[in-house]
C-alpha cells in the first residue's frame, strides 16, 4: 500500500445528494505504530490529530473533547457507554464553545445493511427513544450551539462481505438535526519507507485497513 498524503482529498457521498470532501489521514513517520488499543476504533495518533484539528479554534477558548465508546444500542445505552475527556476545559466565566463529541461505535452496534432510518408520521423521533435515533437526538441537545459530532466507525462483515454503514448513520443524524460536513478515512498501518504496512485493529475482519470518521455539525435552529 503506497503512503498517502495526510490531506489527500477526493469526493464522497454516502447518503448525500451531492459530493462532499473526503480526506485521508495516515500516520507520520514519528508515529511508528498505527495499532488501535484493544476494543478501540481509532489508533492513538488519530486521537492526537483529532484533538489538534477540532478543539483549537482561533480567537476562542479550546473546546472540550469528549469521547464516548458505544458497544450497544439497547435501552439504557448511555449508562453503559464509557466516557473519556481527551482535552481539558478551562474554568472561568468566559463563554466556551460547545464541546466536540467523539463517538466510537463498536461494529456490532452499527445498522444492518437493510436497516432504514427511522421516520415518524406525526412527530420527529425524540431523545427518549432507544437506538441510533435517540442517540443522535440526545447528542444534538448537548451540541445545540453549533457543536461538532465526530463518529468513528468501521466496516463490518455480513454474510462474508464487508458492509458500509455510513449511509444509514448519516440519514439518522440528519433527521436529528445534524449537517454532514466531511468524511475522513483513517488508515490502519505504519510507515515503511514510501509505503504503509497495514496493521488492522485487533478483532477486525480480514481485509479491513481503515476506519471512518464522519464530521457532523449540530444545526442551531434558534
Amino acid at each position: 500500500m503506497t503512503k498517502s498524503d495526510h490531506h489527500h482529498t477526493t469526493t464522497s457521498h454516502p447518503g448525500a445528494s451531492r459530493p462532499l470532501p473526503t480526506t485521508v489521514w495516515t500516520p507520520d513517520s514519528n508515529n511508528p505504530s498505527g495499532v488501535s488499543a484493544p476494543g478501540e476504533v481509532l489508533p492513538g495518533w488519530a486521537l492526537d490529530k483529532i484533538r489538534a484539528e477540532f478543539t483549537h479554534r482561533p480567537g476562542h477558548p479550546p473546546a472540550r473533547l469528549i469521547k464516548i465508546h458505544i458497544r450497544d444500542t439497547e435501552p439504557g445505552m448511555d449508562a453503559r457507554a464509557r466516557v473519556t475527556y481527551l482535552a481539558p476545559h478551562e474554568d472561568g466565566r468566559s463563554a466556551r464553545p460547545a464541546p466536540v463529541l467523539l463517538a466510537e461505535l463498536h461494529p456490532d452496534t452499527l445498522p444492518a445493511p437493510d436497516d432504514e432510518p427511522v421516520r415518524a408520521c406525526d412527530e420527529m423521533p425524540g431523545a427518549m427513544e432507544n437506538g441510533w435515533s435517540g442517540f443522535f437526538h440526545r447528542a444534538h441537545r448537548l451540541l445545540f450551539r453549533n457543536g461538532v459530532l465526530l463518529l468513528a466507525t468501521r466496516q463490518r462483515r455480513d454474510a462474508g462481505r464487508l458492509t458500509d454503514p455510513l449511509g444509514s448513520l448519516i440519514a439518522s443524524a440528519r433527521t436529528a438535526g445534524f449537517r454532514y460536513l466531511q468524511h475522513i478515512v483513517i488508515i490502519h498501518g505504519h510507515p515503511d519507507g514510501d509505503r504503509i504496512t497495514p496493521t488492522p485493529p485487533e478483532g477486525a475482519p480480514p481485509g479491513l485497513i481503515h476506519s471512518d470518521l464522519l464530521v457532523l455539525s449540530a444545526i442551531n435552529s434558534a
Side-chain angles (χ1 to χ4, degrees):
M1 179 177 179
T2 302
K3 186 175 180 180
S4 303
D5 186 88
H6 274 259
H7 294 282
H8 173 72
T9 300
T10 180
T11 56
S12 177
H13 45 58
S17 59
R18 65 183 184 276
L20 287 171
T22 297
T23 300
V24 178
W25 284 2
T26 58
D28 290 323
S29 57
N30 59 356
N31 284 294
S33 176
V35 180
S36 303
E40 304 291 331
V41 175
L42 301 177
W45 65 264
L47 296 177
D48 292 339
K49 191 166 181 63
I50 287 170
R51 185 185 297 110
E53 293 274 338
F54 292 102
T55 66
H56 298 285
R57 301 167 184 174
H60 297 279
R64 300 173 72 182
L65 177 58
I66 305 172
K67 186 179 80 164
I68 58 175
H69 187 75
I70 301 173
R71 299 193 63 87
D72 71 85
T73 54
E74 298 301 318
M77 59 182 286
D78 291 353
R80 292 185 296 276
R82 188 172 72 248
V83 180
T84 306
Y85 296 90
L86 297 178
H89 65 281
E90 298 176 356
D91 292 325
R93 297 184 179 180
S94 60
R96 296 195 302 270
V100 176
L101 183 62
L102 169 62
E104 285 198 330
L105 314 182
H106 190 276
D108 290 344
T109 71
L110 298 176
D114 56 352
D115 280 355
E116 293 291 334
V118 174
R119 295 180 175 88
C121 297
D122 300 324
E123 60 182 358
M124 296 293 288
M128 295 302 292
E129 291 195 11
N130 299 316
W132 289 119
S133 175
F135 166 77
F136 284 120
H137 278 83
R138 292 190 295 275
H140 191 274
R141 291 177 63 181
L142 176 65
L143 303 170
F144 69 96
R145 291 181 290 121
N146 297 318
V148 174
L149 172 63
L150 306 174
L151 297 180
T153 74
R154 67 171 66 124
Q155 294 172 320
R156 72 180 190 186
R157 188 169 292 279
D158 290 292
R161 296 190 308 167
L162 286 175
T163 59
D164 189 343
L166 302 188
S168 295
L169 289 172
I170 292 169
S172 293
R174 282 176 164 162
T175 299
F178 283 97
R179 179 183 293 111
Y180 170 44
L181 300 180
Q182 190 176 18
H183 175 203
I184 298 173
V185 174
I186 297 175
I187 302 299
H188 293 286
H190 64 83
D192 185 9
D194 63 349
R195 302 176 67 83
I196 296 291
T197 299
T199 53
E202 180 180 338
L208 188 142
I209 60 172
H210 78 276
S211 289
D212 299 288
L213 186 69
L214 303 181
V215 183
L216 303 149
S217 175
I219 300 173
N220 188 347
S221 58

